[in-house]
Amino acid sequence: MSTTDIKAEPGLPFIDISREFDAPRELIFRAHTEPALVRQWLGGGTYEMVIDRWEARDGGAWRYVHRDGEGNEYGFHGVFHGAPTVDNMVQTFEFEGAPGHVSLDAMTLEEHDGRTTVRIHSTFQSVEARDAMVESGMAEGMNAGYAKLDALLEQLKTPVA
Amino acid sequence: MSTTDIKAEPGLPFIDISREFDAPRELIFRAHTEPALVRQWLGGGTYEMVIDRWEARDGGAWRYVHRDGEGNEYGFHGVFHGAPTVDNMVQTFEFEGAPGHVSLDAMTLEEHDGRTTVRIHSTFQSVEARDAMVESGMAEGMNAGYAKLDALLEQLKTPVA
């Protein structure tokens, strides 16, 4: 299993993420744009994942809720800027537990020899908001989600019997 | 006429703009959300302003084109994140002459004694993109646009005879 590389340079409001997957980029793109696939891995961990909307098109809205075992709900939402492509998928992101703090994510998928590197450049409205995101346990959440994505991609690669 | 205050701290990807207007914030909000009003001031200067879309709602898209006297066209587009309010109007922004560079603008309107301060916090995906925006003559464009907005607000404040 690959590890997720997360860079957060001190004093700047960016997070740069990269992670390699053993799958062509078209499959990874599907796993990021088709709600029935997104719900199987995004967020990872033990949360129940409920997707309200996942409209992967220019101006499309997205929203999902994570529910933990005690009934607590954590909502997230945003919109897509431009039509998502394998070369550029741009979304706004807001955690409803900290309303008014919006970030901007841009994802690119780079394929070599059937393996794909996912790169995400996240931009925050302040260095403080970026630091809060890094300290929120995001690395753990991303690694758990990407481990589920590894498994989902294996299923998608296997022809149905 | 008020002047526009533009702050761009070295080494950070932000631009902070503030400008006072002699009008209540509801009028300024209308001038930013109703396309028939937006087209009368945004961009300012001598460009012809053509608004393709200005859907000031959550997930709404916006796009406009500036045409100069020689027929050159400069397109800009983005989407609205969340429903715009006087306290928070959040939009993505992309200049079609530099595709792939997206920024995130958040505007707040603060009213005291019938006068309103517009504050915009712009966040860029890199310090280089921020610097390029500052050097593009944006201050001149904003001042010209805001002078037109001053005049438009005077009209909107005057009861129709």
Side-chain angles (χ1 to χ4, degrees):
Chain A
M1 195 174 78
S2 298
T3 55
T4 307
D5 182 61
I6 300 178
K7 286 198 171 64
E9 200 181 326
L12 282 172
F14 305 125
I15 299 176
D16 283 281
I17 293 156
S18 70
R19 169 64 149 81
E20 199 181 63
F21 292 90
D22 183 19
R25 65 184 190 165
E26 285 301 339
L27 281 191
I28 294 172
F29 187 66
R30 284 184 55 203
H32 282 82
T33 51
E34 298 180 16
L37 300 180
V38 173
R39 67 177 297 279
Q40 294 183 50
W41 68 271
L42 187 63
T46 56
Y47 292 114
E48 181 190 356
M49 167 65 152
V50 182
I51 294 192
D52 265 2
R53 305 166 77 178
W54 193 270
E55 304 162 351
R57 54 172 170 75
D58 188 19
W62 65 266
R63 181 172 187 271
Y64 60 80
V65 176
H66 282 162
R67 265 192 214 124
D68 67 18
E70 294 163 1
N72 299 307
E73 296 197 342
Y74 304 92
F76 303 84
H77 72 268
V79 292
F80 291 90
H81 168 97
T85 69
V86 289
D87 293 315
N88 202 26
M89 178 163 162
V90 180
Q91 296 169 250
T92 60
F93 176 99
E94 185 171 1
F95 169 44
E96 295 170 6
H101 297 280
V102 185
S103 55
L104 185 68
D105 292 338
M107 183 180 77
T108 58
L109 304 178
E110 198 181 302
E111 183 178 329
H112 290 287
D113 301 323
R115 295 179 67 85
T116 299
T117 301
V118 172
R119 293 183 208 283
I120 300 173
H121 180 64
S122 290
T123 303
F124 294 78
Q125 290 173 307
S126 69
V127 178
E128 292 72 21
R130 191 284 307 264
D131 290 345
M133 175 60 85
V134 172
E135 289 156 16
S136 72
M138 79 172 265
E140 196 182 358
M142 293 205 79
N143 278 313
Y146 281 158
K148 290 170 95 171
L149 180 52
D150 277 328
L152 174 62
L153 292 167
E154 286 307 311
Q155 283 178 38
L156 294 174
K157 285 194 292 184
T158 308
V160 176
Chain B
M1 195 174 78
S2 297
T3 55
T4 307
D5 182 62
I6 300 179
K7 288 199 169 66
E9 198 179 327
L12 281 171
F14 305 124
I15 299 177
D16 282 282
I17 293 157
S18 70
R19 169 65 148 78
E20 198 179 63
F21 293 90
D22 184 19
R25 65 183 190 166
E26 285 301 338
L27 281 191
I28 295 171
F29 186 66
R30 283 185 54 202
H32 282 82
T33 51
E34 298 180 17
L37 300 180
V38 173
R39 68 178 297 281
Q40 294 183 51
W41 69 271
L42 188 62
T46 57
Y47 292 114
E48 181 191 355
M49 167 65 152
V50 182
I51 294 191
D52 265 3
R53 303 166 79 179
W54 194 271
E55 306 161 349
R57 55 172 170 74
D58 187 20
W62 66 266
R63 181 172 187 272
Y64 60 82
V65 175
H66 283 162
R67 267 193 213 122
D68 68 17
E70 293 163 2
N72 299 308
E73 296 198 342
Y74 304 92
F76 303 85
H77 72 267
V79 292
F80 290 91
H81 168 99
T85 69
V86 289
D87 294 314
N88 203 26
M89 179 162 161
V90 180
Q91 296 169 250
T92 59
F93 177 98
E94 185 170 2
F95 170 44
E96 295 170 8
H101 297 280
V102 185
S103 56
L104 185 69
D105 292 339
M107 182 179 77
T108 59
L109 304 178
E110 197 181 302
E111 183 177 329
H112 290 289
D113 301 325
R115 295 179 67 82
T116 299
T117 303
V118 172
R119 294 184 206 283
I120 300 173
H121 180 64
S122 290
T123 303
F124 294 77
Q125 290 172 307
S126 69
V127 177
E128 293 71 22
R130 192 286 306 266
D131 290 345
M133 175 60 83
V134 171
E135 289 155 16
S136 72
M138 81 173 261
E140 196 180 359
M142 292 205 79
N143 278 313
Y146 281 158
K148 291 171 94 171
L149 179 54
D150 277 329
L152 174 62
L153 292 167
E154 285 308 310
Q155 283 177 38
L156 293 174
K157 285 194 293 183
T158 308
V160 177

